[in-house]
Amino acid sequence: MISLLPTLSKTIEHVTLTRMTVFAPNCLSPLQFACRQGYSPLDAVHLILKKVHKVSNDKLYSSALFLDVQGAFDKVPHHRLAQIMTTNDFPPYLMDWVQSYLSDRSVRIIDGAASEPSFTPTQVGILQGSPLSPFLFNVYGSPLYYNHQRLGVDLMISYVDDYCLLAISVSWQWNAITLTAARSQLQLEVNQGGMNFNLSKTELFHFPCGKNLLMADLSEVQFGEHHIANDVEQR
């Protein structure tokens, strides 16, 4: 849900964001992109491709699973965000400002010609449309990067609420097994934070390796009863 915010509010938020990014190294992983200089979407793509090209020369196979957090900004609990900021040594004045900024807000949904008659108080969530929100969501998601080697993948990166898991092995089939297990573990952890991955936006991509061509019947990644297949035509 996109929030329509006053221009003056966005100006103040930009100033606050500038101050908050100073403390990003205390909290954010180098594999979390957005809201910092040198952490653009292209930087994330280049990191993936560089690793894929390197292992391809070693005759190894790479597979990437792309995940999207469903309704990410709307599900961030303010108290949990405050705990994470405290743990990562954000100064009290910034924490107080953020909590004041997020608290005592109300929303009224307008959809074309229809609209709600009155405003409804909100107890959770950060404002999608605010310059601060991508950074705050990165802070909220930063615990997922504590010891991320536990997932068994070769790389996990994210751009705000979009995640990529990269597996490298001697076959695409083995990568699919690795990604299935990693996604299941990551799903449990995001569920603890009140979030979920959007299955309809989940994509699997097996990178070509040398002269070996991609086939439509490559191993799939499984999520319970659901199967995510490599889409040759899409690529």
Side-chain angles (χ1 to χ4, degrees):
M1 183 172 57
I2 305 297
S3 299
L4 301 179
L5 303 172
T7 301
L8 180 58
S9 172
K10 289 189 175 184
T11 302
I12 297 172
E13 292 159 25
H14 271 294
V15 173
T16 305
L17 176 61
T18 301
R19 296 189 177 188
M20 294 189 71
T21 51
V22 173
F23 301 93
N26 299 340
C27 178
L28 303 186
S29 164
L31 301 176
Q32 286 181 279
F33 290 77
C35 305
R36 293 181 288 168
Q37 187 174 3
Y39 288 84
S40 71
L42 285 179
D43 293 312
V45 172
H46 289 162
L47 177 61
I48 296 172
L49 294 181
K50 180 179 179 180
K51 196 170 187 68
V52 169
H53 289 159
K54 181 178 184 300
V55 299
S56 179
N57 292 333
D58 297 330
K59 309 301 182 184
L60 294 175
Y61 295 76
S62 302
S63 304
L65 185 66
F66 299 94
L67 305 164
D68 175 83
V69 179
Q70 189 170 20
F73 290 7
D74 298 335
K75 298 179 180 179
V76 175
H78 301 164
H79 70 281
R80 187 174 175 87
L81 176 62
Q83 291 172 355
I84 294 172
M85 293 180 70
T86 300
T87 302
N88 289 280
D89 298 325
F90 279 87
Y93 81 91
L94 277 179
M95 293 177 53
D96 291 343
W97 190 96
V98 169
Q99 289 302 305
S100 175
Y101 174 73
L102 295 177
S103 62
D104 298 323
R105 284 190 172 271
S106 299
V107 62
R108 183 164 69 102
I109 298 176
I110 300 175
D111 182 13
S115 64
E116 291 184 336
S118 59
F119 285 84
T120 303
T122 58
Q123 304 299 325
V124 297
I126 52 181
L127 307 175
Q128 187 168 354
S130 164
L132 267 177
S133 293
F135 181 83
L136 291 177
F137 187 83
N138 266 357
V139 171
Y140 183 67
S142 61
L144 295 176
Y145 281 86
Y146 300 164
N147 187 27
H148 68 271
Q149 293 85 354
R150 72 195 181 284
L151 298 175
V153 294
D154 294 86
L155 180 67
M156 180 176 82
I157 67 172
S158 62
Y159 187 84
V160 192
D161 58 345
D162 295 309
Y163 286 77
C164 173
L165 303 178
L166 182 69
I168 299 170
S169 73
V170 295
S171 71
W172 289 308
Q173 289 77 10
W174 186 254
N175 288 344
I177 296 173
T178 300
L179 292 173
T180 295
R183 193 272 185 186
S184 297
Q185 177 61 33
L186 194 60
Q187 178 69 69
L188 291 174
E189 296 177 15
V190 299
N191 283 351
Q192 292 174 358
M195 298 179 293
N196 195 19
F197 289 121
N198 188 339
L199 190 61
S200 66
K201 294 184 178 180
T202 300
E203 296 183 3
L204 174 64
F205 185 21
H206 293 301
F207 290 89
C209 180
K211 296 182 179 180
N212 295 311
L213 300 178
L214 290 171
M215 303 299 293
D217 61 349
L218 287 173
S219 294
E220 302 171 332
V221 172
Q222 300 180 20
F223 308 146
E225 299 179 353
H226 301 280
H227 298 261
I228 305 297
N230 180 73
D231 192 336
V232 178
E233 293 182 359
Q234 182 176 347
R235 304 302 174 181

